[in-house]
Amino acid sequence: MKTLKILFLLTVALVAAAAVIFGMRDYKSGYEVGDIATDFSLKNVSGNQVSLSQFNDAKGFILVFMCNTCPFSIANEERILALDKKYKSVGFPVIGINPNNPVVSPGDSFEAMQQRAKEKNFTFPYLFDEGQQVYPQYGATKTPHVFILKKENDLVVKYIGAIDNSVRDSETVTEKYVENAINSLLSDEDIKTTTTKAIGCSIKE
């Protein structure tokens, strides 16, 4: 009888531990393609709060988790600017979000973001994920990490991953994942490649 009681208690403990572990895993995994994304309100480098609901004419968004300090993110800045220039006018603007903790990465402070945006003439909102509330919801793990959202009845995740297949060198790109995905959405066609591996620096927590 005593043995059965011990086994029962061990089972309960294991189930509870599994619930915690899998709960954390679900939280960390974030969105998958086809999921509905929630809106947010984050501070732009201008000082204003920005949310996706403010973009009344947008058909969707190219959401890029990026930062000031990661060499991979820096190597993609011109490509991110080019995406905004090419697709903002047809309804898919870029929204940049810095997910890094400035205590851990001082170069990613809000003031440093303002300076970087000014130096590079960012044409898109560059938002600060203060308190790191948004990036875990999305499941971003790198800078850069892209999430394409499309407005349907809700905001639906259509693509997750890298900008293209050469994060380090734009001169060697042979496949433009984000451009291909947006072009498919604009043509009401299925996206052939909906997920790719994001390559970059780990987000600083």
Side-chain angles (χ1 to χ4, degrees):
M1 192 72 178
K2 187 175 180 180
T3 302
L4 288 174
K5 186 176 180 180
I6 292 171
L7 287 173
F8 173 77
L9 291 173
L10 284 172
T11 302
V12 170
L14 287 171
V15 169
V20 171
I21 292 168
F22 283 108
M24 291 175 61
R25 187 177 297 169
D26 288 344
Y27 176 71
K28 287 292 185 183
S29 65
Y31 295 135
E32 296 180 356
V33 171
D35 285 348
I36 294 171
T38 57
D39 201 353
F40 47 75
S41 180
L42 297 175
K43 185 165 65 172
N44 191 11
V45 287
S46 65
N48 298 323
Q49 293 292 121
V50 172
S51 61
L52 301 181
S53 60
Q54 295 171 352
F55 295 79
N56 296 323
D57 297 330
K59 298 176 182 176
F61 302 94
I62 303 169
L63 200 66
V64 186
F65 290 90
M66 55 188 289
C67 69
N68 306 326
T69 57
C70 172
F72 295 96
S73 189
I74 292 168
N76 278 265
E77 285 175 337
E78 293 300 325
R79 280 174 268 188
I80 295 168
L81 280 163
L83 286 170
D84 189 54
K85 181 178 180 180
K86 184 171 184 177
Y87 292 110
K88 179 161 55 181
S89 62
V90 294
F92 281 88
V94 165
I95 305 292
I97 299 177
N98 176 8
N100 282 344
N101 181 352
V103 175
V104 178
S105 179
D108 287 308
S109 69
F110 182 70
E111 292 74 21
M113 289 174 60
Q114 291 178 308
Q115 183 64 29
R116 190 67 184 172
K118 183 178 179 181
E119 289 174 354
K120 298 298 294 185
N121 293 316
F122 285 171
T123 56
F124 50 85
Y126 187 28
L127 312 180
F128 180 41
D129 188 7
E130 190 170 8
Q132 299 185 299
Q133 299 297 310
V134 173
Y135 91 81
Q137 293 179 20
Y138 278 76
T141 59
K142 305 290 183 182
T143 52
H145 204 159
V146 180
F147 294 74
I148 295 177
L149 311 179
K150 184 184 178 186
K151 282 186 180 180
E152 294 179 352
N153 291 327
D154 297 289
L155 285 170
V156 180
V157 180
K158 294 294 184 179
Y159 169 84
I160 301 172
I163 292 173
D164 51 48
N165 67 343
S166 182
V167 67
R168 296 176 181 84
D169 185 2
S170 61
E171 298 297 320
T172 60
V173 172
T174 58
E175 191 168 359
K176 298 181 177 182
Y177 303 128
V178 170
E179 288 198 25
N180 292 342
I182 296 292
N183 290 339
S184 294
L185 291 175
L186 291 171
S187 302
D188 291 323
E189 298 174 351
D190 292 335
I191 299 172
K192 292 181 180 179
T193 303
T194 58
T195 58
T196 59
K197 183 180 180 180
I199 297 174
C201 303
S202 298
I203 291 172
K204 306 302 185 290
E205 298 181 342

